[in-house]
Amino acid sequence: MDQFIAAIDIIGVNPFVFVPEEILSRIFIDAGKTKGHIPIYGKINDKPYTQTLVKFSGHWRLYINTSMLKNSPKRIGELISISVAYDPVSREISTPPAFLKALENNPSAASVFEKLSPSRKKEIVRYLANLKSPESLNKNILRSIEFLNGKERFVGRDKP
């Protein structure tokens, strides 16, 4: 795992740090790619995190959210100690079987779901997959189908 010290910067409302080029090069080798989102893990000030490196406006950035570092938006300019490494653990989210069945039973909702962007599909699946109780899952599957049919809000959106 590589370590470095960086000052927190901000773009818009998002705190981040730049990862040094030599560390990025090792992460790219380990990941086997230099494009797209790259899953990483490490520690910030000795607190473990998992995150994704993303390239924005020509620069690779490690965004520092509040679960990684408390009050991060208020800590711009602060030097933090960071360790980082490529995370080979799959972050794929399994679609709940009950949602797949609901889509199968509702062709119009399934058609809308298939036309959604990959990120929007992932947002819906992630939301459903992270629900704890079967009751919550069933209730939200019904809401998601209504949402896909244009009849209800879901995941903070009015329309699919």
Side-chain angles (χ1 to χ4, degrees):
M1 190 168 304
D2 289 300
Q3 296 183 342
F4 64 101
I5 293 175
I8 301 173
D9 202 344
I10 194 164
I11 188 164
V13 297
N14 301 306
F16 73 93
V17 296
F18 290 112
V19 178
E21 288 295 325
E22 62 275 5
I23 294 174
L24 276 176
S25 295
R26 285 191 287 276
I27 290 171
F28 294 157
I29 290 167
D30 292 344
K33 64 181 187 173
T34 60
K35 294 182 179 182
H37 297 196
I38 299 179
I40 58 168
Y41 72 100
K43 291 183 179 182
I44 291 182
N45 294 343
D46 292 324
K47 182 181 178 204
Y49 71 86
T50 57
Q51 184 60 290
T52 304
L53 279 178
V54 293
K55 192 172 188 177
F56 178 73
S57 291
H59 299 284
W60 285 93
R61 303 167 197 267
L62 170 55
Y63 287 94
I64 310 294
N65 60 39
T66 54
S67 66
M68 294 165 68
L69 186 65
K70 189 175 179 179
N71 295 321
S72 59
K74 296 178 182 174
R75 298 170 81 163
I76 306 310
E78 182 178 324
L79 289 177
I80 57 174
S81 173
I82 304 164
S83 64
V84 63
Y86 169 67
D87 188 358
V89 176
S90 173
R91 295 189 184 168
E92 191 170 320
I93 300 167
S94 297
T95 304
F99 180 58
L100 293 173
K101 184 151 182 73
L103 287 174
E104 188 179 300
N105 293 335
N106 195 313
S108 61
S111 174
V112 171
F113 185 76
E114 286 308 311
K115 291 176 187 169
L116 294 176
S117 68
S119 63
R120 186 68 47 86
K121 288 180 191 176
K122 185 177 181 180
E123 178 182 25
I124 292 169
V125 168
R126 179 185 294 138
Y127 181 85
L128 294 172
N130 286 321
L131 293 170
K132 303 289 184 230
S133 72
E135 296 82 16
S136 290
L137 178 61
N138 291 331
K139 180 180 89 171
N140 281 282
I141 286 173
L142 292 173
R143 287 185 59 218
S144 68
I145 296 298
E146 291 297 304
F147 169 72
L148 292 167
N149 285 321
K151 297 178 183 174
E152 185 167 341
R153 279 181 61 84
F154 189 65
V155 291
R157 301 183 187 282
D158 291 323
K159 296 185 238 175

